[in-house]
Amino acid sequence: MATDLHELLRSLRVWDPEVTTLPAFDPAGAPAAPLELFTTWFAQAVAAGQTEPHTMSLATADPEGRPDVRTVMLHGADADGFAFASHSHSRKGGHLAVRPYAAIGFYWPVLGRQVRVRGPVTAAPSGEGQADLHARSTGALAAALTGRQSEVLGSLDELARASEQSWDRAQREPAAPVPSWTLYRLAPEEVEFFQGDERRQHVRLAYRRTDGGWERQLLWP
């Protein structure tokens, strides 16, 4: 019997109280800058057992302004911005070369929380990108060495052969360079923190960067 997608969707519930405890969030006690709050929320998501809390949605736009989105990993967050990485010749790399502006989004359903960030993106110096890559796992290096990200693939056999060769090289040469591998940093201009509420009285706190620092305001849910 075929799956009825609409019936399946109607059967789902958000933040099931049997498995989810929504914490309280008082924006009056939020720090003056968003990075401290992000770090706190991230640590709480990890402590709550959120699966892969460092994954995030990354939205970019092509030269015509058409949006695209995919899931990537956060490589770090500090005063310089939120860091992620990719090949410069990938689809996202091509988008950022033409339109160096992006949005990222985190969703931690175990706590009913979201964080949204928007801002300009810059590429870090090549040395930083290589250092970031070589600090990661052998599998990450092997995937980077396989390369050709976003190109058309002829067959899964072709991928398997290239992947095996890359794994072999990554194990033999843990410092093998991948010139196209690029570390990107998104410098936040806007950061929004969303705390879900069982009665749908969700709390949304938005930070906006100004010449004088960060401005905070509440938003209607």
Side-chain angles (χ1 to χ4, degrees), residues 194-204 221:
F194 172 103
Q195 174 61 67
D197 178 81
E198 292 179 359
R199 296 180 63 82
R200 300 305 188 262
Q201 296 175 12
H202 313 310
V203 179
R204 295 176 63 188

Side-chain angles (χ1 to χ4, degrees), residues 70-158:
R70 74 288 287 165
T71 301
V72 300
M73 285 196 300
L74 177 69
H75 285 214
D78 54 28
D80 294 325
F82 291 75
F84 58 93
S86 181
H87 289 284
S88 58
H89 55 71
S90 67
R91 178 176 293 182
K92 69 181 81 66
H95 287 181
L96 292 171
V98 177
R99 291 177 176 265
Y101 199 92
I104 56 178
F106 298 86
Y107 179 43
W108 301 315
V110 70
L111 296 173
R113 286 176 170 172
Q114 299 180 54
V115 180
R116 302 166 59 202
V117 188
R118 295 200 304 174
V121 178
T122 57
S126 177
E128 289 188 37
Q130 296 303 296
D132 174 78
L133 175 61
H134 296 134
R136 301 176 67 203
S137 66
T138 300
L141 176 58
L145 286 167
T146 301
R148 303 184 66 179
Q149 189 176 27
S150 300
E151 295 181 18
V152 175
L153 174 65
S155 70
L156 293 181
D157 288 340
E158 183 181 356

Side-chain angles (χ1 to χ4, degrees), residues 7-217:
E7 182 178 342
L8 180 59
L9 287 170
R10 286 192 295 270
S11 73
L12 300 175
R13 293 294 178 266
V14 177
W15 307 323
D16 185 340
E18 293 185 6
V19 296
T20 305
T21 300
L22 299 179
F25 172 47
D26 181 4
L35 180 60
E36 181 181 345
L37 182 55
F38 175 82
T39 302
T40 298
W41 275 27
F42 185 85
Q44 290 173 348
V46 173
Q50 177 63 57
T51 302
E52 299 181 351
H54 57 319
T55 57
M56 61 187 191
S57 299
L58 168 68
T60 58
D62 68 13
E64 288 72 42
R66 296 173 297 187
D68 203 351
V69 67
R70 74 288 287 165
T71 301
V72 300
M73 285 196 300
L74 177 69
H75 285 214
D78 54 28
D80 294 325
F82 291 75
F84 58 93
S86 181
H87 289 284
S88 58
H89 55 71
S90 67
R91 178 176 293 182
K92 69 181 81 66
H95 287 181
L96 292 171
V98 177
R99 291 177 176 265
Y101 199 92
I104 56 178
F106 298 86
Y107 179 43
W108 301 315
V110 70
L111 296 173
R113 286 176 170 172
Q114 299 180 54
V115 180
R116 302 166 59 202
V117 188
R118 295 200 304 174
V121 178
T122 57
S126 177
E128 289 188 37
Q130 296 303 296
D132 174 78
L133 175 61
H134 296 134
R136 301 176 67 203
S137 66
T138 300
L141 176 58
L145 286 167
T146 301
R148 303 184 66 179
Q149 189 176 27
S150 300
E151 295 181 18
V152 175
L153 174 65
S155 70
L156 293 181
D157 288 340
E158 183 181 356
L159 172 61
R161 289 192 297 271
S163 179
E164 183 152 350
Q165 292 171 356
S166 296
W167 269 92
D168 180 63
R169 186 181 177 194
Q171 290 169 333
R172 287 186 291 103
E173 302 177 51
V178 184
S180 61
W181 190 255
T182 304
L183 184 68
Y184 294 97
R185 288 194 176 93
L186 187 158
E189 292 180 338
E190 300 177 24
V191 185
E192 181 191 321
F193 295 85
F194 172 103
Q195 174 61 67
D197 178 81
E198 292 179 359
R199 296 180 63 82
R200 300 305 188 262
Q201 296 175 12
H202 313 310
V203 179
R204 295 176 63 188
L205 175 64
Y207 288 77
R208 288 183 173 81
R209 190 188 294 274
T210 69
D211 292 339
W214 289 98
E215 175 186 274
R216 293 182 298 172
Q217 56 187 190

